[in-house]
Amino acid sequence: MADKISGATISAAADAHQDKGEKMEDTKEGSVFVPHEPPTDFIHGNHSMYSDSSITFESYVYWAKRSREVEKNISTDDAGFAHWRKKFFSKRSDATVQDAPVVTESSAKTPSKTNSDSTADDWGITETEWEQAQRAGRTATWGSIFYLITTDIFGPINVPWAISQMGYGPGAALYTVFGAMASYSGMQLWRIFVGLDSTRFPMRNYGDVAFRVYGNWARIFVNILQSFQFFLNVSLLIVSNGQGLAQMVVGANGQGFLCFIAAEVIFMVIGFVFGQIRTLQRLSYLANIAIWLNVIVIIMTMAVVRQYPPNYAASLTSYDTPKGPVKTSGYWPENSTLKDKINAMMNAIFAYGGATLFNELMAEMRRPYDFWKGFIIAEIFIYSCYLLSGMVVYSAQGQFTFNPAYQGIPNSAYKFQTLGNAISFITGVIAALLYGNIGIKVFYNVVLRDVFHFPDLNSRTGKLLWIGLAPAYWAVAWVIAAAIPQISNLTSFVGAACILQFSFTFPPMLLVGFNIQNDAILPEEEFNPATGQAQRLDSGIKRWIRGYKKKFVWNTFDVIYALGALAAAGLGIWASVTSMHKAFGAGKLTPFTCANPAA
């Protein structure tokens, strides 16, 4: 869990810019110049445009095509991995834009110029200046995207347990199928993004995509669910790191004791203190270091489990697995129930859950069209690592495989067990801070600000509210973690309720909506880019039917795909909730327990 964090650094970096509100004012960085101290909203897009329903679909498509044409002439040879080294290790909190070429939609070879090319807006800012400012913040290339997607998705610590519930054959097959499906869904999001994003109307996140396809209700729903996912991620980190801290204190000889719930409180208090950090630019480079620390834990775990027996006590406490010889299975294990199989599948889905932040990644790219290159290579790398780590640990520990894998190392190998727990505790704090920070901001902007009209988070009142919101957020997350000290079942619930939606349900639904509106546009329908209005020949259900029929086979497949994912989500929620109830009924674990599930 703790290693699936670095994609959040993109959002964190964007939040950092927004919080500082002081970048690119009356300065020349390379050839990019922003005059007259424009409001911060200018740099990041006028805030109102992201919920302005008067902007037509044709406007988004028209300006997106122009942006893609311009980007063909933009060089990316001077960016990529070198850029991200500067971004995360430089003393400056914002990436330099001196390498960004001065290519605008007004000066490039694009369709005919419009009056808007030279007309200033209400702030006295011309289109050329707008385009230059928007492109200045987009510096990532497909090479850096490969790195960021890998660090965001890569999380094999729960893969061995999932394989143990499925066996070698079904485990390999399902991780292969879900990997292919995750790739397909990621390409769908890429298709929509390049079709609707532009420097004129830039997109920032998943909610922006939902808004432009289905309207404001979809934006609010997606943003709330995204915030809920980040909240549950924090709860999961409290559980796993509470287990790790209590395990470290017990020691190799079983002497010494730290109550499990007290260990969770310690982790929560750390969140109380460091959660007051509103801007995360100083933490973003730590998030990238964290993934490599987790790679060390994974390699160490695969090596150690071949030399030491399983952690029988932890497996008995959490999964009620009696001590005995290690058994592996080529097919579904003989004692595997339907709920076990579904929970294992949800853990596999959780392992590929990175689509939540794909749109934030594309929003940082010089050429979003190149996203597919880094994405495909990253998926292949992640899939290979998942199968390797899962099969190695399962072959050594069989039915005693624990989640997370490094806590399945027995007390007799205390030094290795402690190394895994110590590193994961550090990375867990970083991950929880990132998830908590972004989750609070999404909740504040979507619910408190949009619905209840709270002040801007950067205002004096907003900053004071943050002081109280952060501890409240962490306290509620701790209540969930203490009430459900079951990592595998809680992971299954998060995978089914949230991650499955963002990675498998929403992308096909969004692409169908995009295709219908895009294919419904007739050649004889005129669009005026100066006014942003289109002369449509029809509307309503007739237009939707025409758009759907244009790609009838693919649209139908995607509808079935989305409905299947939604059904799987329902099964996953049922399996995880009933498994929680069964685990509590067995009496081994109880809510707000002092006994460590990993003891």
Side-chain angles (χ1 to χ4, degrees), residues 405-418:
Y406 60 86
Q407 290 182 359
I409 297 173
N411 290 341
S412 57
Y414 177 69
K415 58 183 179 181
F416 296 110
Q417 183 191 84
T418 301

Side-chain angles (χ1 to χ4, degrees), residues 155-164 166 175 347-348 351 385-387 389-391 394 401 403 405:
I157 59 173
N158 69 332
V159 175
W161 179 86
I163 297 290
S164 74
M166 296 184 286
Y175 269 93
N347 272 260
C385 291
Y386 279 179
L387 283 189
S389 63
M391 296 300 179
Y394 174 56
T401 304
N403 188 6

Side-chain angles (χ1 to χ4, degrees), residues 415-430:
K415 58 183 179 181
F416 296 110
Q417 183 191 84
T418 301
L419 174 64
N421 282 318
I423 292 178
S424 296
F425 190 87
I426 295 172
T427 58
V429 171
I430 299 171

Side-chain angles (χ1 to χ4, degrees), residues 327 434 454:
K327 297 179 181 179
L434 289 170
F454 275 46

Side-chain angles (χ1 to χ4, degrees), residues 6-18 44 68 71 76 79-80 83-84 87-88 93-97 134-142 144-145 148 193 197 202-205 357-369 371:
S6 292
T9 61
I10 294 295
S11 293
D15 289 333
H17 285 299
Q18 200 167 23
H44 305 283
R68 301 295 87 81
E71 288 159 5
T76 59
H83 160 72
W84 289 105
K87 184 179 182 69
F88 294 123
S93 61
D94 57 324
T96 178
V97 294
Q134 289 296 334
R135 292 196 187 283
R138 296 188 171 198
T139 52
T141 65
W142 71 267
S144 55
I145 289 300
L148 289 164
F193 191 92
D197 168 76
M203 290 204 291
R204 309 161 300 174
N205 50 46
L357 293 170
F358 283 177
N359 295 291
E360 281 87 341
L361 297 179
M362 285 184 276
E364 291 280 324
M365 294 188 69
R366 285 191 184 182
R367 295 197 308 219
Y369 192 87
F371 173 82

Side-chain angles (χ1 to χ4, degrees), residues 161-201:
W161 179 86
I163 297 290
S164 74
Q165 302 300 301
M166 296 184 286
Y168 290 118
L174 286 174
Y175 269 93
T176 301
V177 169
F178 284 127
M181 292 169 60
S183 299
Y184 177 64
S185 295
M187 296 301 289
Q188 290 178 314
L189 290 176
W190 166 76
R191 172 70 183 88
I192 300 169
F193 191 92
V194 298
L196 295 178
D197 168 76
S198 65
T199 53
R200 183 78 168 186
F201 300 112

Side-chain angles (χ1 to χ4, degrees), residues 261-326:
I261 195 172
E264 290 186 310
V265 169
I266 292 174
F267 193 83
M268 178 192 68
V269 171
I270 294 174
F272 273 13
V273 176
F274 292 100
Q276 293 301 321
I277 301 174
R278 290 172 52 255
T279 59
L280 293 178
Q281 65 267 37
R282 298 300 181 189
L283 290 175
S284 58
Y285 75 96
L286 292 177
N288 288 271
I289 295 175
I291 182 59
W292 299 113
L293 292 176
N294 278 289
V295 168
I296 294 174
V297 173
I298 294 163
I299 295 174
M300 179 270 296
T301 302
M302 287 193 294
V304 172
V305 296
R306 305 298 302 180
Q307 303 299 322
Y308 292 88
N311 191 334
Y312 296 111
S315 183
L316 179 64
T317 301
S318 292
Y319 310 126
D320 199 25
T321 308
K323 186 175 180 179
V326 172

